[in-house]
Amino acid sequence: MDIHRCRFVPYPASTINALAFSHTSTAKASAISPPNLRLAIGRANGNIEIWNPQRGHWAQECILNGGKDRSIEGLVWTHDLERQKDDEGKEEVAGMLRLFSIGYSTVITEWDLALRKPIRHSGGNYGEIWCIAAQPRWKAPAKNEALSTKPNDNQKSEQHLAVGCADGTVVLHSTADGDLKFLRTLARPSGKKSRVLSIVFLGRGKMVAGYADSMIRIFNISNGRQLSSMSLGAGQPGDPTEILVWSVRCLSDGTIVSGDSTGEVRFWDGQNYTLLQRIKSHKEDILDIAVSADGLTVFSGGMDRRTTMYRRTGDNHKGKRDRWAEISHQRYHSHDIKTMATFESNDMSVVVSGGVDATPIIIPLREFGKEYTRSLPMIPNCPQVQSAPKKRLLVSWWDREISIWRIGSIWSATQETQEAQAAPDQRQVRSLVAKIVLQGEENIVSVSISADANFVAVSTLSSVKIFHLRPSKSSAKDSIKLRKAEIPTDLAAHGSKLLQFSPDSKWLLTVRSDDSIYLHRIAKTSDMHAKSRILERGVELLRLPRTPNNSPKVQQGSLGMYESSIIRAAWSSDSRILVLCDLQGHLDSWVLEGYEDLSQSDDNVVNCQQLMTESATNGNDEESNRELDEVAHPVIVLGQHWIRNPRGASLPRLPSFPLVMSFRPAKPASLAALTNGHVTMHPTRHNPNPHSHDLPIGEDRLFVMTSLHKVYEYQIFAGKLSDWSRRNPPAMLPEAFRAIRDRAMNCVWDISNGRERVWIYGNTFLWMFDLARDLLAIKPKASEVQSRLNGDTLQITRSSRKRKRKHTQEQNPNLMQGTTGAGSKIPEKELGTGLGGSIYKTTGLERDGGQSISLHTMPTQARDDDDDAMDDDGPGATTGELSALVRLRRENGESPYPQADHQHGGVNGDSRRLNEGDTVADQATDRGLAHWHTFKYRPILGIVSLSDEAGPEDDSGGYGYGSQRGLEVALVERPSWDLDLPPRYHGDQEWDK
């Protein structure tokens, strides 16, 4: 594989200004993380990233795109109260989890996660909002506690939002009844108007606000009166007189914690409002504070890049006051730390921090010092680069800008260099051929370039634009002329969260914000000078009806239709199979039947929306008639018709949402065989627009990698797993691959010279799997070998599929070895504690029959296996049973692939030449390797193919899959040291000496 190592593609990093978990932490030892737990990350470019912790398998689900000058400065979640499903009150419905944001304006914005756009705003006649906080959710008192006053239904459902403004005003908004309304303005402080920099609720009845005038004020929520104030005094000589209270937090016992511009953390009595203790722990301003659920641990971060941890000390004797001590400080960030958030449960306990360096850092809270920290990628999980291999074009985008580059061939560039060694500056491996800057304020949501490089489609939240690419007549050799293409009004007027051209450049897929799916046909003519055009009417595809997978407990809240939203799409190589998948792992597939007939008129295209409107006019139910209209009135486009995959309903649901979805590419010989002539359908009086019902016979194997790094391969037409996937279940993946914490982003295929390789890449890794052979060689046990020699038949007993399992570090290594959501456990030899890692437990006086128990193993709560989803480790079998089952499948001849050779060397095939002269040796043997990996490239923005699939050599000089030179790709890196960041504080710190 030839690699262009590209670092010239710009992708500006965006500062992290806000972090918020969807659920509050709990100090109960029995509580586990809810399955719908999410982390929202707000950035300075207006985007909000939604992350799924997945008990340590952190994966980015989607991005809520913002716009120009719409920086996200604060994020909070609220949880509506459960409501009764019917009048009898026998069944409750989970309350909605709602996300709100602020950003240097007077407006609070609520976001719809399913639609990925704002749904309501609330503003007023007050200053710019600087901070926001959500009132704690009402909880029923414990059995041994009594209510002073019985709350009514409105008080139970109310969860106010409090915002602090630049003019010193504190404003309350109500979120009752699923709305967002102004409630009241609390009393302004007397004197000059000082900014409210931080705000937090003290229980449900009080609120604490930190100001820019060295004051902390406490307000009563019910009447808006100021209860008390606490002064921080004046600054040190030479410093500003007024101290800025950047952050305030409240502990579970009512203690108030503040962080200010002097670098001090101060602890205040929450009842008497007096200062308890102050600790000078930072060289510069403390910008945010995070506290644990039990109130025993506090973290602080600031401009000096320090992350400091404090612990409560004391023996809790009556009459003695507990003290706080600085336990540790570390430098996890390379720039200012602006925000922090915590979440704690039985199986998770983490602190997340972010700042100017744009990288989220996960710090263990309960296991601090026993587990490593880890960082999340600053680059979106969905690659921001695409390519048009026929013209060797590379497209990258960010915010509202698109850049188009032309990448020269490695071989041609080498030849030119050898011929002109005296003038090396004349070598031009890359060139920027076009740039598009969108008008308006909305950020780009999705971009796609057609394989023939004729069109570039761009979508925002409200519109879709398509540009036609043509060679420029200017003197510049590689310049391209851009012209805005004329597109149907219905296509342009609706935004799209997912755009994708088909491989043959004849179809454009658009998935709108409401998950409606449309296909638009691009009509081409035989005249080379004629312009391609998009037909006026689109084809709407209908998904299979499914019941949303609600949370198992109503108390955990609901994300609504968000979990059913579409996130990935895949086309087959012949562009006749389309598969889409949602966050729940449901696969929907469609097939294009018939053959293209350009002689048919474009007016014969029937619009599904028009048919649905006619049915509604006749008084029929809309939902029931959508299916009937599709069958009774087939949408025929130039002799072809999209139908649901006949076996699509039998495709198993994925155990988690997909990160990579890609069809195996058909080899050039197979593509040529599929283009043979077919019988022409002649129109008749009763059938003026005939079309064939023949289904495609090309490659239908779909490769899928989930967010838990489980690999599956489907046979779409058969509605089942392929033979390779049955013989290589996820449990057979290499240990080194399962240990990777960064999630996969996408893949590229290499089928040159008869290969069947898939190259999967993530932010920090590049991994190759050879699908022409099995992954792991399984050696049978000695007892099984003896049984076979005796002629016995191996019997495999499977346990019941519906069962509960308790996972520990030894039983399931896929749970990140019993960690609490951050990095791996620190080895005992590095801890230096001198204590052992296990104890020996016995019953009675006899030592026999005892067992060794690990002190570092944390069993999690039992969970029910989902009957609808595939088991992560196989079809309901234990590790031993699974190995035996896989051996039987391989020995029974389901596929004649050889088993793997597990040496870690290079990649078999030709040696690859890199742009910078690097060479990676390849496997010299004929058998080759089943897998290979490297961590050399990081961070990876994306990898795209520059090899043309159509043939051995195209008109631009590129070499295809049939070439002896193999696959050629562009690997785009975005190193952190190349980011344009503002100046940072250095100071006199130990890591600066």
Side-chain angles (χ1 to χ4, degrees):
M1 181 173 70
D2 300 324
I3 297 179
H4 292 263
R5 194 171 184 177
C6 307
R7 292 184 177 176
F8 54 84
V9 178
Y11 185 82
S14 185
T15 300
I16 298 176
N17 292 330
L19 296 166
F21 280 98
S22 59
H23 294 72
T24 57
S25 301
T26 176
K28 295 181 180 180
S30 60
I32 62 173
S33 302
N36 53 2
L37 175 67
R38 298 295 186 272
L39 171 67
I41 300 178
R43 295 187 179 269
N45 61 357
N47 292 347
I48 301 176
E49 301 174 2
I50 305 298
W51 287 78
N52 189 342
Q54 299 185 122
R55 294 183 173 90
H57 301 78
W58 294 82
Q60 185 185 106
E61 290 184 340
C62 70
I63 297 178
L64 311 180
N65 295 87
K68 181 180 179 181
D69 299 329
R70 299 180 187 175
S71 175
I72 303 297
E73 297 297 324
L75 289 170
V76 293
W77 294 79
T78 63
H79 183 183
D80 290 347
L81 193 69
E82 297 84 8
R83 63 186 187 277
Q84 305 299 329
K85 189 174 182 180
D86 49 27
D87 296 336
E88 299 179 359
K90 295 182 179 180
E91 185 177 356
E92 287 187 337
V93 179
M96 289 295 299
L97 294 168
R98 303 164 63 186
L99 178 63
F100 300 87
S101 69
I102 58 171
Y104 287 146
S105 67
T106 60
V107 175
I108 303 176
T109 302
E110 181 179 0
W111 294 82
D112 190 316
L113 298 183
L115 299 179
R116 299 190 187 181
K117 59 183 180 181
I119 55 174
R120 63 176 58 90
H121 305 273
S122 178
N125 188 20
Y126 39 78
E128 293 180 350
I129 299 176
W130 275 68
C131 52
I132 185 173
Q135 186 181 24
R137 192 166 181 258
W138 183 86
K139 294 181 180 181
K143 295 181 179 180
N144 56 353
E145 297 179 359
L147 285 175
S148 57
T149 58
K150 185 177 181 180
N152 55 36
D153 293 338
N154 292 333
Q155 291 175 336
K156 290 182 181 180
S157 61
E158 287 179 349
Q159 192 173 5
H160 300 324
L161 295 181
V163 294
C165 307
D167 59 357
T169 307
V170 177
V171 183
L172 287 181
H173 288 75
S174 174
T175 62
D177 302 326
D179 204 349
L180 178 62
K181 298 179 180 179
F182 170 82
L183 190 61
R184 70 174 65 93
T185 299
L186 301 185
R188 292 193 177 103
S190 59
K192 59 181 180 180
K193 298 179 180 180
S194 181
R195 298 191 309 273
V196 184
L197 301 178
S198 54
I199 195 169
V200 68
F201 280 87
L202 180 58
R204 283 182 56 87
K206 299 178 184 179
M207 188 187 60
V208 183
Y211 285 77
D213 60 353
S214 306
M215 298 296 294
I216 299 175
R217 296 178 172 88
I218 297 90
F219 297 92
N220 187 302
I221 298 299
S222 59
N223 53 28
R225 294 182 180 179
Q226 179 177 326
L227 299 178
S228 182
S229 62
M230 300 177 291
S231 176
L232 278 71
Q236 297 293 330
D239 295 338
T241 305
E242 295 181 342
I243 298 176
L244 307 179
V245 185
W246 287 113
S247 179
V248 288
R249 291 289 184 267
C250 294
L251 302 181
S252 57
D253 62 354
T255 302
I256 301 172
V257 187
S258 66
D260 53 56
S261 57
T262 64
E264 289 187 350
V265 173
R266 310 194 187 203
F267 299 88
W268 309 81
D269 191 319
Q271 295 181 351
N272 301 323
Y273 309 118
T274 57
L275 180 64
L276 298 177
Q277 187 181 352
R278 54 195 291 183
I279 301 176
K280 175 70 174 178
S281 55
H282 288 261
K283 303 288 186 179
E284 283 293 324
D285 298 31
I286 295 176
L287 300 181
D288 203 4
I289 289 176
V291 300
S292 62
D294 56 8
L296 301 179
T297 307
V298 173
F299 283 84
S300 64
M303 295 176 60
D304 58 356
R305 296 174 285 162
R306 286 192 180 193
T307 300
T308 307
M309 177 187 177
Y310 315 86
R311 283 270 173 86
R312 189 195 297 265
T313 62
D315 48 11
N316 295 326
H317 285 303
K318 198 171 185 180
K320 292 187 177 181
R321 180 180 298 172
D322 292 342
R323 303 289 294 177
W324 290 85
E326 177 184 344
I327 301 301
S328 171
H329 67 267
Q330 300 287 337
R331 188 193 67 175
Y332 302 122
H333 292 268
S334 60
H335 218 290
D336 300 2
I337 303 173
K338 300 191 66 175
T339 179
M340 306 179 81
T342 63
F343 179 79
E344 291 183 84
S345 63
N346 173 264
D347 53 352
M348 279 193 65
S349 180
V350 295
V351 179
V352 185
S353 61
V356 180
D357 60 2
T359 302
I361 301 295
I362 313 296
I363 306 170
L365 199 161
R366 185 170 56 239
E367 298 295 318
F368 184 82
K370 300 179 182 179
E371 295 178 0
Y372 292 110
T373 61
R374 62 161 301 188
S375 61
L376 299 181
M378 67 176 179
I379 296 173
N381 183 262
C382 186
Q384 305 291 287
V385 292
Q386 285 193 13
S387 68
K390 288 186 178 181
K391 302 296 181 182
R392 303 184 65 84
L393 296 182
L394 172 67
V395 180
S396 65
W397 65 92
W398 64 93
D399 294 348
R400 295 165 302 282
E401 184 174 328
I402 304 173
S403 298
I404 304 177
W405 306 78
R406 189 185 300 278
I407 309 298
S409 173
I410 294 178
W411 303 98
S412 60
T414 304
Q415 184 177 1
E416 292 176 4
T417 304
Q418 293 176 353
E419 294 176 355
Q421 294 182 357
D425 296 338
Q426 296 181 0
R427 176 185 175 185
Q428 190 174 6
V429 180
R430 67 177 188 273
S431 60
L432 180 64
V433 296
K435 179 179 289 187
I436 303 173
V437 179
L438 296 185
Q439 297 180 354
E441 297 182 351
E442 293 183 331
N443 288 345
I444 294 173
V445 177
S446 181
V447 174
S448 181
I449 184 172
S450 59
D452 56 7
N454 285 333
F455 292 100
V456 172
V458 187
S459 69
T460 62
L461 291 174
S462 61
S463 64
V464 174
K465 297 179 176 63
I466 299 180
F467 298 91
H468 188 64
L469 277 62
R470 302 173 60 186
S472 177
K473 298 180 180 179
S474 62
S475 58
K477 178 181 178 181
D478 292 331
S479 61
I480 289 179
K481 182 179 180 180
L482 294 172
R483 180 180 58 84
K484 191 174 180 180
E486 297 181 0
I487 60 177
T489 305
D490 184 64
L491 173 60
H494 293 84
S496 176
K497 64 180 180 182
L498 180 59
L499 288 174
Q500 193 168 334
F501 283 100
S502 61
D504 60 2
S505 304
K506 295 181 179 180
W507 296 92
L508 173 61
L509 166 69
T510 61
V511 180
R512 298 179 181 176
S513 58
D514 60 352
D515 286 318
S516 57
I517 308 164
Y518 286 87
L519 289 174
H520 295 268
R521 183 65 158 85
I522 302 175
K524 300 181 179 180
T525 61
S526 57
D527 187 1
M528 297 295 296
H529 300 284
K531 300 177 181 178
S532 301
R533 60 190 180 89
I534 300 177
L535 300 187
E536 183 68 24
R537 295 172 179 174
V539 179
E540 183 182 9
L541 303 182
L542 304 179
R543 301 172 65 187
L544 290 171
R546 297 185 179 96
T547 304
N549 185 22
N550 294 327
S551 175
K553 295 182 179 180
V554 295
Q555 295 82 4
Q556 296 174 347
S558 172
L559 293 172
M561 298 303 297
Y562 168 71
E563 294 181 331
S564 300
S565 58
I566 297 173
I567 58 169
R568 293 291 186 272
W571 288 90
S572 62
S573 297
D574 57 1
S575 303
R576 299 191 64 180
I577 308 176
L578 174 63
V579 178
L580 288 89
C581 191
D582 59 17
L583 284 172
Q584 290 183 350
H586 293 296
L587 294 169
D588 289 280
S589 55
W590 295 268
V591 181
L592 182 62
E593 65 176 10
Y595 301 96
E596 184 180 25
D597 185 3
L598 298 178
S599 62
Q600 292 191 10
S601 174
D602 301 344
D603 298 333
N604 296 327
V605 180
V606 182
N607 194 350
C608 287
Q609 186 68 29
Q610 178 182 356
L611 294 174
M612 185 182 64
T613 305
E614 294 175 357
S615 300
T617 305
N618 296 331
N620 298 326
D621 181 71
E622 177 178 324
E623 293 297 329
S624 61
N625 281 282
R626 290 166 70 94
E627 302 287 342
L628 298 177
D629 290 335
E630 185 178 7
V631 177
H633 305 280
V635 184
I636 304 172
V637 182
L638 302 180
Q640 294 178 307
H641 174 218
W642 283 97
I643 64 171
R644 279 199 189 127
N645 176 22
R647 300 298 299 274
S650 61
L651 290 173
R653 183 172 72 88
L654 295 169
S656 58
F657 66 92
L659 296 177
V660 178
M661 265 195 357
S662 178
F663 278 91
R664 285 204 192 196
K667 298 181 180 180
S670 301
L671 290 174
L674 296 177
T675 57
N676 293 334
H678 58 273
V679 179
T680 304
M681 305 292 292
H682 298 283
T684 63
R685 181 176 60 181
H686 300 288
N687 188 13
N689 300 305
H691 72 283
S692 172
H693 294 277
D694 293 343
L695 296 177
I697 58 175
E699 182 64 73
D700 70 329
R701 287 176 293 178
L702 177 68
F703 181 86
V704 181
M705 174 166 287
T706 69
S707 60
L708 297 178
H709 272 193
K710 308 296 181 181
V711 174
Y712 303 96
E713 189 180 55
Y714 289 95
Q715 288 182 267
I716 298 300
F717 287 148
K720 64 178 184 179
L721 295 176
S722 68
D723 293 340
W724 182 90
S725 187
R726 287 169 55 82
R727 292 186 347 272
N728 297 274
M732 296 293 105
L733 291 173
E735 284 289 340
F737 180 78
R738 287 186 287 172
I740 295 178
R741 293 185 177 272
D742 289 333
R743 301 294 92 180
M745 298 172 61
N746 210 338
C747 70
V748 292
W749 290 86
D750 182 8
I751 59 172
S752 60
N753 302 324
R755 302 187 181 109
E756 297 182 30
R757 297 177 183 166
V758 57
W759 291 83
I760 302 170
Y761 64 90
N763 182 60
T764 58
F765 68 89
L766 176 61
W767 201 288
M768 184 275 295
F769 289 107
D770 190 349
L771 304 188
R773 62 190 71 251
D774 294 326
L775 295 177
L776 294 178
I778 304 176
K779 297 180 180 180
K781 299 180 180 179
S783 59
E784 296 177 1
V785 173
Q786 186 63 34
S787 299
R788 304 228 176 168
L789 293 176
N790 298 334
D792 299 336
T793 303
L794 179 63
Q795 299 292 334
I796 300 178
T797 304
R798 301 186 188 180
S799 59
S800 174
R801 182 174 177 81
K802 186 67 176 180
R803 65 196 186 280
K804 291 188 176 182
R805 296 183 291 184
K806 291 186 177 181
H807 299 289
T808 61
Q809 176 180 349
E810 290 81 9
Q811 294 170 345
N812 193 348
N814 297 328
L815 289 181
M816 294 299 179
Q817 298 182 352
T819 60
T820 58
S824 304
K825 284 188 175 295
I826 301 177
E828 296 177 11
K829 61 181 180 180
E830 296 183 14
L831 291 175
T833 59
L835 298 176
S838 62
I839 59 176
Y840 193 82
K841 179 181 178 181
T842 61
T843 302
L845 300 177
E846 298 295 333
R847 180 177 176 82
D848 297 338
Q851 59 177 340
S852 179
I853 301 177
S854 175
L855 296 176
H856 304 289
T857 300
M858 295 185 59
T860 61
Q861 295 293 320
R863 63 179 177 88
D864 292 330
D865 288 345
D866 193 346
D867 291 334
D868 187 30
M870 291 182 295
D871 197 322
D872 289 350
D873 296 331
T878 63
T879 304
E881 296 168 357
L882 181 62
S883 300
L885 181 61
V886 170
R887 279 200 303 274
L888 284 180
R889 288 174 177 173
R890 294 179 181 180
E891 294 174 1
N892 288 339
E894 288 192 4
S895 182
Y897 296 161
Q899 294 191 6
D901 183 4
H902 300 291
Q903 299 177 2
H904 290 277
V907 186
N908 56 329
D910 300 326
S911 62
R912 56 177 178 150
R913 185 176 306 174
L914 306 180
N915 243 9
E916 302 178 0
D918 299 330
T919 302
V920 175
D922 291 330
Q923 175 70 16
T925 62
D926 295 335
R927 290 186 62 187
L929 299 177
H931 54 85
W932 178 88
H933 66 277
T934 180
F935 298 97
K936 178 180 181 179
Y937 312 102
R938 61 176 63 190
I940 299 176
L941 182 63
I943 301 178
V944 294
S945 174
L946 297 177
S947 302
D948 182 20
E949 301 179 20
E953 186 173 357
D954 61 13
D955 54 1
S956 64
Y959 290 87
Y961 288 152
S963 169
Q964 295 296 325
R965 293 175 179 173
L967 177 66
E968 185 178 355
V969 299
L971 189 151
V972 182
E973 293 178 289
R974 191 59 178 140
S976 58
W977 56 82
D978 286 347
L979 300 179
D980 186 14
L981 300 178
R984 67 186 182 187
Y985 171 81
H986 289 280
D988 186 19
Q989 303 188 78
E990 56 266 32
W991 47 73
D992 294 322
K993 295 180 180 179

